[in-house]
Amino acid sequence: MSAYAVLQIEVTDAEKLAQYREIATPIVQKYGGRYLARGGRMDVVEGDSLPRIAIVIVEFPSMDAFKQFYDAPEYQGGEGPSPERNPRNDARCRRAVNQHLVVLGVNRIGMAARVTTAR
């Protein structure tokens, strides 16, 4: 079952955030992640508007795949060309205010079976 990483990012330094994106993208892909939304146009349809907020949604094949990505040395900083190229400890975490959560997706086949059984 897919897992979805959802990030709400208040951009405080767009240049540094762009550097993070460049570094993090191949790491996300290595662990099976696929960007579904990445800071594109956003319209608030209910509630207050959020200035300078970017929303990022990344789909991973499973919660385990997400955890492998998130705990990976190259993402956390234990490996890589240099500490300043560490995605978590540099560009995103120090140049933006973040909320980061992960949610398990819905098993559509299982849901359909339950709905059918309930009738």
Side-chain angles (χ1 to χ4, degrees), residues 1-42:
M1 193 173 325
S2 295
Y4 299 88
V6 181
L7 292 87
Q8 178 179 302
I9 303 167
E10 181 181 348
V11 180
T12 57
D13 186 329
E15 185 178 313
K16 288 288 186 185
L17 195 59
Q19 291 172 0
Y20 164 79
R21 200 175 359 209
E22 177 186 319
I23 297 165
T25 297
I27 302 170
V28 167
Q29 292 170 342
K30 176 180 176 181
Y31 291 92
R34 179 174 71 104
Y35 287 94
L36 301 180
R38 198 170 194 182
R41 178 182 166 189
M42 180 174 64

Side-chain angles (χ1 to χ4, degrees), residues 6-12 17 38-44 48-56 96-99:
V6 181
L7 292 87
Q8 178 179 302
I9 303 167
E10 181 181 348
V11 180
T12 57
L17 195 59
R38 198 170 194 182
R41 178 182 166 189
M42 180 174 64
D43 293 331
V44 176
D48 297 328
S49 100
L50 304 170
R52 298 183 53 107
I53 295 292
I55 301 293
V56 177
V97 178
N98 306 292
Q99 279 194 315

Side-chain angles (χ1 to χ4, degrees), residues 2-119:
S2 295
Y4 299 88
V6 181
L7 292 87
Q8 178 179 302
I9 303 167
E10 181 181 348
V11 180
T12 57
D13 186 329
E15 185 178 313
K16 288 288 186 185
L17 195 59
Q19 291 172 0
Y20 164 79
R21 200 175 359 209
E22 177 186 319
I23 297 165
T25 297
I27 302 170
V28 167
Q29 292 170 342
K30 176 180 176 181
Y31 291 92
R34 179 174 71 104
Y35 287 94
L36 301 180
R38 198 170 194 182
R41 178 182 166 189
M42 180 174 64
D43 293 331
V44 176
V45 295
E46 232 177 271
D48 297 328
S49 100
L50 304 170
R52 298 183 53 107
I53 295 292
I55 301 293
V56 177
I57 303 171
V58 184
E59 179 183 35
F60 286 89
S62 65
M63 187 66 80
D64 285 341
F66 167 78
K67 289 177 182 178
Q68 288 172 358
F69 154 75
Y70 193 77
D71 294 336
E74 66 265 38
Y75 189 65
Q76 291 294 336
E79 293 178 4
S82 62
E84 67 273 4
R85 299 271 304 164
N86 169 258
R88 280 204 26 79
N89 295 330
D90 186 39
R92 182 176 62 85
C93 291
R94 290 193 294 142
R95 304 299 180 209
V97 178
N98 306 292
Q99 279 194 315
H100 190 169
L101 59 98
V102 62
V103 61
L104 196 57
V106 173
N107 180 341
R108 291 188 180 121
I109 295 171
M111 289 294 286
R114 281 192 288 257
V115 170
T116 303
T117 304
R119 287 185 178 179

